[in-house]
Amino acid sequence: MIADVYIELKEGVTDPEGEATKKALRLLGFKKVKSVSSRKVFRIEIDARSKEEAEREIKLMCEKLLVNPVIQNYYIRWVE
Amino acid sequence: MIADVYIELKEGVTDPEGEATKKALRLLGFKKVKSVSSRKVFRIEIDARSKEEAEREIKLMCEKLLVNPVIQNYYIRWVE
């Protein structure tokens, strides 16, 4: 099974990468850009007997390593 | 208009972040993980008269700043 784990900053948390990218784009002449935010995706391939088991495992991975719950949210989308 | 620009490594390009994440997950006991790859998403809000115009602009942004065409591919998904 393959899942994409999307990790994004919580509302209100500053996004320096998004801000810097927006500034750089505007400096390059892209004046129509109103905002840029960045997020991260981990595509994880996992051996599991069921989607429920895989999802439980992936949630644990997020809690233990991938996500900082103070500043980040995550959600899971199945690729296959 | 809001678009998500997905940036991923081309096939054959090593993904140190994905590799390190996989190793760390396995060290933590997640033995069922077969592979991990990382990708990046920029959510861009843009003022444009049409989707075609916005897409043209965003492609230019990718070529000029966001994407390294030697090692990365990108694709665009509309959020609204």
Side-chain angles (χ1 to χ4, degrees):
Chain A
M1 267 160 266
I2 300 178
D4 278 345
V5 180
Y6 289 78
I7 301 168
E8 58 186 24
L9 290 165
K10 287 189 175 172
E11 237 187 274
V13 178
T14 46
D15 177 0
E17 188 176 4
E19 281 301 311
T21 306
K22 179 184 152 192
K23 265 187 209 157
L25 285 171
R26 294 181 68 93
L27 280 172
L28 283 171
F30 296 104
K31 303 294 187 199
K32 290 170 184 163
V33 174
K34 286 170 73 182
S35 71
V36 180
S37 63
S38 69
R39 57 202 70 193
K40 183 87 215 159
V41 185
F42 287 110
R43 178 159 290 183
I44 298 177
E45 196 182 347
I46 184 171
D47 252 341
R49 272 159 303 184
S50 65
K51 237 164 217 181
E52 290 68 35
E53 187 195 336
E55 188 160 341
R56 251 194 329 271
E57 284 279 294
I58 289 173
K59 281 184 177 168
L60 266 176
M61 293 176 203
C62 290
E63 286 161 23
K64 289 204 175 172
L65 183 77
L66 303 176
V67 177
N68 177 351
V70 179
I71 57 166
Q72 293 172 322
N73 285 325
Y74 72 94
Y75 53 94
I76 298 166
R77 290 285 174 276
W78 294 99
V79 180
E80 62 181 54
Chain B
M1 266 161 268
I2 299 177
D4 278 345
V5 180
Y6 289 78
I7 301 169
E8 58 187 22
L9 289 166
K10 288 187 174 173
E11 235 186 276
V13 177
T14 46
D15 176 0
E17 189 176 4
E19 280 303 311
T21 307
K22 179 184 153 192
K23 265 187 209 156
L25 286 171
R26 294 180 68 93
L27 281 172
L28 283 171
F30 296 105
K31 303 294 187 198
K32 290 171 183 161
V33 174
K34 288 170 72 181
S35 71
V36 180
S37 64
S38 69
R39 56 203 68 195
K40 184 87 215 162
V41 184
F42 287 109
R43 179 159 290 185
I44 298 176
E45 194 182 348
I46 184 171
D47 253 339
R49 272 159 303 184
S50 66
K51 238 163 216 184
E52 290 69 34
E53 187 194 335
E55 188 160 343
R56 252 196 325 272
E57 284 278 296
I58 289 173
K59 282 184 176 169
L60 265 177
M61 292 176 204
C62 289
E63 287 160 23
K64 289 204 175 173
L65 184 77
L66 304 177
V67 178
N68 177 350
V70 178
I71 55 166
Q72 293 172 321
N73 285 324
Y74 72 94
Y75 53 94
I76 298 165
R77 291 286 173 275
W78 292 99
V79 181
E80 63 180 54

